[in-house]
Amino acid sequence: MVNVGHSDNPLRAAIIGSGPAGFYTVNHLLRDPALQVEIDMFDRLPAPFGLVRYGVAPDHPKDKSVAATYDKLARGANYRFYGNVEYGRDIMLEDLKRHYHQVVFATGASDDRHLDVPGEGLLGCHSATEFVAWYNGHPDFTNRQFDLEQENVVVVGMGNVALDVARMLCRTGAELARTDIADYAMEALRRSKVRQVSLLGRRGPAQAAFTPAEIRELGELAGADVRVSQQEAALDAVSARALTANPDKNTDKNIACIEQYSRSALTGRDRLVTLRFFVSPTQLLGHADRLTAVRLVKNEAYLGDGGTVRVRTTRQEETLPAGLLFRAVGYRGRALPEIPFDEKQGTIENQRGRVTTAAGVPLNGLYAAGWIKRGATGVIGTNKTCARETVGCMLEDLAADRHLRPDNPAPEAVERLVNTRSQNAISYHDWL
Ligand code: NAP
């Protein structure tokens, strides 16, 4: 038998998920001209590109432009796309093992984390995930309703998603018109009565999870001022000590930008974004099942194990009026049928991308890449390095003859299978 990866016996690889991690895996697999590879990519949605299409904010066209690179790969001779085909429903692990030498799971992190405070079930409380998917036209979310008649909105979290949500809530009609937001969302946001958006960080400015470019962009909104109190913007003694021990340029830039906001005068724009630090929601209050306010407790910092700045609650409480709340406290991966899953991390059990049992034993031919491998961290480009590591393991295993032994690796066999399982499977050309 000819070795796998040669023209007589090309490597047949399946990738589950067509987001950035999936496409960077394709990219790395195609880099070695000596390796003959055929890649089939499956997605439960009809359209490819995952988070680039449904997660990146519509006012960030530069971040979306990577789709052009993915498109080039998708038009290649050794790539096939099967949209509307879901792993665990239309195609099972057993099927993949019959048709492929290697399988990569790149399914991202589609679930969101919860606040775990009383009142989270009140009307008006949503995950940022829902809102982001809604304004990006994700087919599962087009019917969602958000009460944009409310004047006061709270966004819990101090990461890039929290900033995306705040920006989209505050963009003027003219600004929205320059984005590729879904039409229905643009109409709803144009009519919105939202006036105040408060972002709540449980730790301080030095621990904010957003990137400097994103926090600076918040100050460039045409229709909103940014406010933060000088007291909450000031670097606390615990964080100052931690920063001296572990300096970080991006943290310095974030702190400087936040201090700048605290010194700037308001200009009387229609909307106001308030950044709050060292506060945690303890209860969501409502009337007739609808959110009306958020009970907050003030936190104080202390130095935890390994020099991490942690917080504990104080006795100081306050109530913030809010008719709408978005939790933007991070995403979580969703377990996949028959694939070992680390519930605590929300990731597939893996070592450097090789899927393993919970005890750390590698499972032949199975790999993971992207958020489902490492958790929901990093920007789109982080998936390049992540996929490179996974593909490195795949090639190492191939060289050592460690791979699945498909009894029917012919591409036509997969096409026949898919057509019997999914009524509306679509190819890349169909989608174009
Ligand atoms: P994230 O970066 O992990 O930020 C989550 C935020 O929620 C942190 O401020 C965290 O605070 C806070 N948080 C977590 N649990 C909380 C709780 N129980 N109560 C209050 N606050 C809580 O997550 P994300 O914003 O969802 O972003 C996910 C990833 O996508 C990130 O890597 C992000 O950079 C990336 N992304 C990038 C862009 C961009 O490049 N423009 C845009 C969107 C998303 P602690 O730090 O205290 O835990």
Side-chain angles (χ1 to χ4, degrees), residues 146-391:
F146 303 95
D147 183 4
L148 298 168
E149 292 288 303
Q150 299 295 329
E151 286 196 5
N152 298 306
V153 182
V154 160
V155 182
V156 185
M158 274 292 169
N160 283 327
V161 170
L163 293 187
D164 284 351
V165 167
R167 267 195 340 273
M168 293 307 292
L169 285 168
C170 291
R171 288 274 184 214
T172 60
E175 285 176 317
L176 289 171
R178 292 196 292 272
T179 71
D180 75 344
I181 188 170
D183 290 347
Y184 60 79
M186 177 152 71
E187 281 316 305
L189 287 168
R190 273 187 166 158
R191 289 194 304 270
S192 150
K193 305 258 167 63
V194 169
R195 287 292 165 268
Q196 308 246 7
V197 179
S198 302
L199 271 70
L200 310 183
R202 62 178 169 184
R203 297 191 288 164
Q207 291 80 41
F210 44 64
T211 30
E214 272 65 25
I215 187 63
R216 275 197 297 267
E217 188 184 6
L218 197 65
E220 293 159 8
L221 291 170
D225 283 319
V226 181
R227 172 176 72 176
V228 50
S229 77
Q230 293 201 357
Q231 194 198 1
E232 288 186 1
L235 186 64
D236 60 285
V238 177
S239 301
R241 239 187 307 150
L243 259 179
T244 310
N246 284 307
D248 181 77
K249 280 203 179 112
N250 280 347
T251 304
D252 290 344
K253 287 182 193 166
N254 281 349
I255 293 170
C257 181
I258 292 162
E259 276 179 351
Q260 169 72 38
Y261 289 147
S262 77
R263 288 192 302 268
S264 305
L266 301 182
T267 63
R269 290 184 168 99
D270 278 357
R271 291 183 167 127
L272 183 64
V273 180
T274 305
L275 303 175
R276 297 291 314 269
F277 293 100
F278 291 114
V279 285
S280 287
T282 52
Q283 190 177 1
L284 309 184
L285 307 170
H287 177 70
D289 286 343
R290 173 157 284 289
L291 178 76
T292 54
V294 180
R295 192 95 185 114
L296 300 179
V297 65
K298 191 87 188 144
N299 298 326
E300 62 183 16
Y302 69 93
L303 217 47
D305 292 344
T308 310
V309 176
R310 298 190 180 283
V311 286
R312 59 185 155 233
T313 56
T314 66
R315 286 161 178 261
Q316 217 179 311
E317 290 190 302
E318 65 181 285
T319 302
L320 195 64
L324 192 57
L325 175 142
F326 296 102
R327 46 175 201 276
V329 295
Y331 294 108
R332 241 188 90 76
R334 191 178 290 177
L336 295 163
E338 299 187 76
I339 305 300
F341 194 71
D342 180 338
E343 285 294 342
K344 202 164 156 233
Q345 303 295 328
T347 54
I348 287 178
E349 296 277 6
N350 77 94
Q351 283 169 10
R352 300 176 56 239
R354 284 187 179 96
V355 177
T356 68
T357 64
V361 180
L363 296 178
N364 218 8
L366 304 187
Y367 303 87
W371 279 4
I372 198 67
K373 164 186 167 186
R374 63 173 204 278
T377 59
V379 292
I380 288 170
T382 315
N383 292 299
K384 266 189 209 172
T385 7
C386 181
R388 188 192 304 137
E389 182 184 58
T390 297
V391 170

Side-chain angles (χ1 to χ4, degrees), residues 354 364 393-403 405:
R354 284 187 179 96
N364 218 8
C393 293
M394 291 167 77
L395 299 182
E396 241 173 69
D397 292 349
L398 208 58
D401 207 29
R402 284 191 302 262
H403 52 78
R405 312 276 161 184

Side-chain angles (χ1 to χ4, degrees), residues 79-131:
Y79 169 93
R80 270 173 207 233
F81 176 69
Y82 289 103
N84 274 332
V85 179
E86 183 172 349
Y87 172 77
R89 186 193 63 186
D90 306 311
I91 193 153
M92 311 296 163
L93 186 59
E94 181 195 349
D95 302 320
L96 296 169
K97 287 183 171 175
R98 286 195 55 214
H99 297 294
Y100 298 97
H101 300 103
Q102 294 184 323
V103 180
V104 184
F105 294 93
T107 48
S110 49
D111 287 347
D112 51 88
R113 296 184 189 277
H114 286 253
L115 299 176
D116 295 326
V117 297
E120 237 179 319
L122 287 168
L123 293 171
C125 299
H126 305 271
S127 70
T129 321
E130 284 172 69
F131 189 56

